[in-house]
Amino acid sequence: MAPTTSPNTTGAASRPGMSDRKVWTVVLCWITVMLEGYDLVVLGAIIPTLLKTHHLGMTAADATTVATLSLVGVAIGAVMVGPLADRFGRRLLLIGSVVEFSVFTLLLPLATSVGMFAALRLIASIGLGACMPASLTMMAENMPAARRARASTLTMTGYHTGAVITSLLALQVTDNWQVLFYVLGIAGLVVAVIQWFRLPESEAFVRAKEAPASRRVAFGELLKPAYLRAGIGIWVASFMGLLLVYGLNTWLPKLMNDAGYPIPTAVTQLLILNAGGIAGLVLGGFVADRRGIKSTTLGWFALSVGLLACLSIRMHSDLLLNTVVFLTGVFVFSAQVLVYAYVTHFYPASVRGTALGSASGIGRIGSIVGPSITGALVAAGIGHPWGFYFFAAVAVAGFLAVLTLPGRAAAAQAEATGAAPAAEPAV
């Protein structure tokens, strides 16, 4: 059976086919992002077991190195996939990325040394890092421009769903941690096979490819005057957004415990935070499509500043604490994804994959920096309240970065072509 790639169907008879294309794109991209969410938690879930059993002689320092290399690999993959997807197609790059990380994930339990374990994890993470930008690009290009924010935020609910699945499965397998990687690798290969036969190429990419001026796309395109202002703002906002996401997910329980909350309460706050994240992703997409992506993102970052500052205060009411933590998840996690939504709306198809890949890749640097700085504050004994002050300051920086972004999707094109931007939708 040949893969479905041609979007050139016309007439009334094509309507069911177009609907089928949309359904498969939505489902398969969501599942791909869910696999990355699964992978987000899997290493953290097994590190205590690896250290307890001294697997391959692994030490705490070795585990830290493996975790860091995983984040580095994801950043590399995110940056690399954009130009390749803009040149060769979203479909091919997404399927290839899924296959790559699945194969090396399956090999990971077979590692015979810590060095080999780290290398396999790094290589797998490169493929994994490419999956999210490619999925978000395909989802956005599968939707009308007026619904692209919703497409991005709803896709990212798969991320948190995958994290929940890993947590639940990890509780069941206990010391048999290898099962977690076998499940992920096999699931990834199954998804890749289905993608080969059912995932269509993005119509926007096909149209862009047919335009002679769009045949060759490089990262340097984003540094041209037409895109530079938006690019800098997006990179800074993405860096700050992912710094908050990873910093909070890594250190929130410890910060809450340092604030005087008992360990069960502190750990519960992490679940409440991520529950808020899922709710925020759904809410943020709907609001942004109606009120504008830029204005919504500004509001989300502004509310994040206040809520993060509030967490520095010791609260004696469980209801109040749970409410503040839940709302923090609502606004912090979806603010980051709304930055991606802005990218998919602002940039034309010819550079959209490159732009989204660069935003994701640079943001991943923030995902490394955030836990590192917060960890240093904790080690210095000032994690609470200064960890929350630091996060609030980061949210301020994200707000200021979004404030610099052009307000209309046509701004870059107008500078490049001299065309009037009046007909373009606001972002």
Side-chain angles (χ1 to χ4, degrees):
M1 181 177 178
T4 305
T5 58
S6 175
N8 298 322
T9 55
T10 59
S14 69
R15 294 180 187 270
M18 291 300 290
S19 176
D20 185 64
R21 287 166 54 85
K22 180 176 292 188
V23 169
W24 278 110
T25 299
V26 170
V27 170
L28 290 174
C29 287
W30 188 89
I31 291 175
T32 303
V33 172
M34 183 185 71
L35 294 176
E36 181 166 352
Y38 180 110
D39 187 86
L40 168 71
V41 178
V42 69
L43 189 61
I46 70 165
I47 282 178
T49 300
L50 295 178
L51 297 181
K52 182 181 71 174
T53 61
H54 300 290
H55 179 69
L56 302 177
M58 188 172 294
T59 65
D62 293 331
T64 301
T65 299
V66 172
T68 301
L69 287 175
S70 298
L71 294 173
V72 170
V74 169
I76 293 172
V79 172
M80 289 176 57
V81 71
L84 294 174
D86 281 335
R87 182 170 297 184
F88 300 111
R90 286 74 159 109
R91 177 182 178 276
L92 181 62
L93 264 295
L94 181 58
I95 296 173
S97 299
V98 172
V99 171
E100 194 265 1
F101 93 75
S102 299
V103 169
F104 284 94
T105 294
L106 284 171
L107 293 175
L108 190 67
L110 306 178
T112 57
S113 67
V114 173
M116 184 178 179
F117 190 99
L120 289 171
R121 183 65 182 167
L122 173 64
I123 297 171
S125 296
I126 292 174
L128 188 70
C131 290
M132 185 184 295
S135 296
L136 288 172
T137 301
M138 291 197 75
M139 279 285 287
E141 292 179 345
N142 187 60
M143 295 290 184
R147 297 182 62 189
R148 282 182 183 160
R150 200 178 315 173
S152 296
T153 55
L154 290 179
T155 302
M156 288 300 295
T157 61
Y159 195 69
H160 295 280
T161 302
V164 170
I165 291 173
T166 309
S167 301
L168 295 175
L169 186 57
L171 292 174
Q172 301 300 317
V173 302
T174 58
D175 290 344
N176 298 317
W177 58 267
Q178 295 90 340
V179 172
L180 296 175
F181 290 96
Y182 290 140
V183 168
L184 177 59
I186 293 172
L189 291 177
V190 171
V191 169
V193 171
I194 298 173
Q195 287 174 331
W196 178 258
F197 290 106
R198 292 296 184 181
L199 183 65
E201 181 57 274
S202 161
E203 293 184 29
F205 167 76
V206 173
R207 289 194 297 269
K209 186 178 180 181
E210 291 171 351
S214 306
R215 290 189 182 278
R216 299 185 63 83
V217 178
F219 179 80
E221 289 288 320
L222 303 182
L223 303 180
K224 292 183 177 180
Y227 302 125
L228 186 58
R229 174 187 164 191
I232 293 175
I234 288 165
W235 296 331
V236 174
S238 182
F239 179 95
M240 299 303 171
L242 277 180
L243 188 157
L244 289 173
V245 170
Y246 279 80
L248 284 168
N249 267 322
T250 303
W251 288 108
L252 181 65
K254 176 60 176 172
L255 295 179
M256 301 303 276
N257 186 232
D258 287 350
Y261 300 102
I263 290 178
T265 299
V267 174
T268 300
Q269 299 314 306
L270 191 59
L271 296 176
I272 294 174
L273 182 77
N274 280 279
I278 295 175
L281 288 169
V282 176
L283 175 65
F286 280 93
V287 174
D289 281 335
R290 286 164 172 75
R291 311 291 293 185
I293 299 174
K294 178 181 175 179
S295 61
T296 303
T297 310
L298 283 171
W300 258 232
F301 269 115
L303 289 167
S304 297
V305 174
L307 290 163
L308 289 165
C310 285
L311 288 177
S312 67
I313 303 171
R314 177 72 162 87
M315 301 177 197
H316 298 285
S317 166
D318 287 343
L319 177 60
L320 178 60
L321 175 64
N322 293 343
T323 301
V324 173
V325 171
F326 181 85
L327 291 175
T328 300
V330 167
F331 295 108
V332 170
F333 288 1
S334 52
Q336 160 60 26
V337 180
L338 287 174
V339 174
Y340 291 158
Y342 179 93
V343 173
T344 64
H345 199 95
F346 180 82
Y347 289 93
S350 58
V351 295
R352 188 173 292 137
T354 300
L356 192 54
S358 71
S360 179
I362 292 173
R364 295 292 181 173
I365 300 175
S367 73
I368 300 171
V369 172
S372 300
I373 294 179
T374 313
L377 293 174
V378 169
I382 55 174
H384 185 274
W386 285 98
F388 291 116
Y389 295 157
F390 167 64
F391 288 141
V394 169
V396 170
F399 175 89
L400 295 175
V402 175
L403 195 62
T404 68
L405 297 176
R408 301 191 69 84
Q413 298 178 32
E415 285 187 38
T417 65
E424 293 291 335
V427 293

